[in-house]
Amino acid sequence: GYRVALQGNFFGHNHTYVTFPEYNPRKHIKLDPPLNIQSNATASKCHIWWSVVPWYLAEILQYELQYKEYSMSWEVALNKTLPSSLPQIEIEATEFRSGITYTARVRCKVSENENSYHSQWSEWSQTAVFQRADVPKVSEKILNTKTMQYLFIPLSFGTLLYLFWSCKLSSRRQKGSPALTFPHQLLSFSHSIVCTMGILR
């Protein structure tokens, strides 16, 4: 620690003012901003990373990330305080709009949980520019086939119920045996199912 004092001559008299009786530089640090901020954006995540100086403090630092649309002002930027001391972050791509260019920057300070050092926030780093990758479009043919497959089961079930009730009603109106009517209709429907499955495949 150090003893910091100011000394001066006022009206012909020397005066000394003790500013800090016990000054410890480790408690009054302002770090340099993070360096080499880089980014890699895909259709699902955006990965941003950087490096710090001095490296021996890396494990006790905390970071704050700020990002915005490139054309917007920093006053409307979004902030994220990172939960760990790792010099990187992954952000879900759903937080970004497709086709829009974004820019990000980061700053650091000693963690509040650290007792050996204390610091204020550094200046903001240089910026990294990135853009969310486009989500690959599903081909229209595959989409139509999947739609038909999803609709096939409820339609088949509904048709079976319709045939069952129509046979039951017709058996009441006719004197013939219902056992001869329902199997014939069920056989025709089964043939239709087989043909439809062949088309879907």
Side-chain angles (χ1 to χ4, degrees):
Y2 296 84
R3 178 175 181 270
V4 180
L6 297 177
Q7 187 175 20
N9 187 294
F10 300 94
F11 303 104
H13 299 280
N14 290 329
H15 294 275
T16 301
Y17 299 92
V18 178
T19 309
F20 297 102
E22 294 181 8
Y23 180 81
N24 191 336
R26 297 162 66 98
K27 302 292 185 177
H28 302 273
I29 297 174
K30 183 174 182 180
L31 298 168
D32 292 329
L35 305 173
N36 304 322
I37 181 170
Q38 301 179 59
S39 63
N40 180 34
T42 65
S44 59
K45 292 183 181 295
C46 177
H47 183 205
I48 303 174
W49 67 97
W50 55 88
S51 57
V52 291
V53 176
W55 57 267
Y56 54 83
L57 294 180
E59 294 184 357
I60 62 172
L61 297 184
Q62 67 179 87
Y63 303 97
E64 184 178 28
L65 180 81
Q66 195 174 58
Y67 65 94
K68 66 178 182 68
E69 293 184 16
Y70 189 81
S71 59
M72 304 294 286
S73 169
W74 284 110
E75 280 71 20
V76 297
L78 297 176
N79 289 53
K80 282 185 178 294
T81 301
L82 277 62
S84 71
S85 61
L86 295 177
Q88 62 178 334
I89 184 175
E90 279 192 348
I91 307 175
E92 295 293 331
T94 52
E95 297 192 25
F96 308 105
R97 294 193 294 164
S98 181
I100 301 297
T101 301
Y102 289 84
T103 182
R105 60 185 185 179
V106 66
R107 62 180 181 175
C108 62
K109 73 172 184 176
V110 175
S111 172
E112 298 292 344
N113 299 325
E114 176 61 35
N115 295 323
S116 300
Y117 297 88
H118 184 75
S119 75
Q120 57 179 300
W121 283 111
S122 70
E123 300 296 330
W124 289 104
S125 70
Q126 294 183 345
T127 59
V129 178
F130 59 93
Q131 189 177 63
R132 173 186 174 184
D134 292 332
V135 179
K137 295 182 179 179
V138 181
S139 67
E140 187 175 349
K141 183 177 180 180
I142 295 177
L143 185 61
N144 290 337
T145 302
K146 287 186 176 294
T147 303
M148 289 296 296
Q149 290 175 344
Y150 290 142
L151 291 176
F152 179 74
I153 295 177
L155 286 176
S156 302
F157 182 70
T159 306
L160 280 174
L161 286 178
Y162 171 76
L163 290 175
F164 176 77
W165 286 109
S166 63
C167 289
K168 190 173 182 180
L169 291 175
S170 62
S171 65
R172 293 179 180 178
R173 296 176 182 176
Q174 298 178 3
K175 294 181 179 180
S177 173
L180 297 175
T181 306
F182 180 70
H184 176 71
Q185 293 178 337
L186 183 59
L187 182 62
S188 300
F189 178 67
S190 300
H191 179 69
S192 300
I193 291 178
V194 173
C195 293
T196 306
M197 289 296 292
I199 294 174
L200 292 177
R201 290 178 182 176

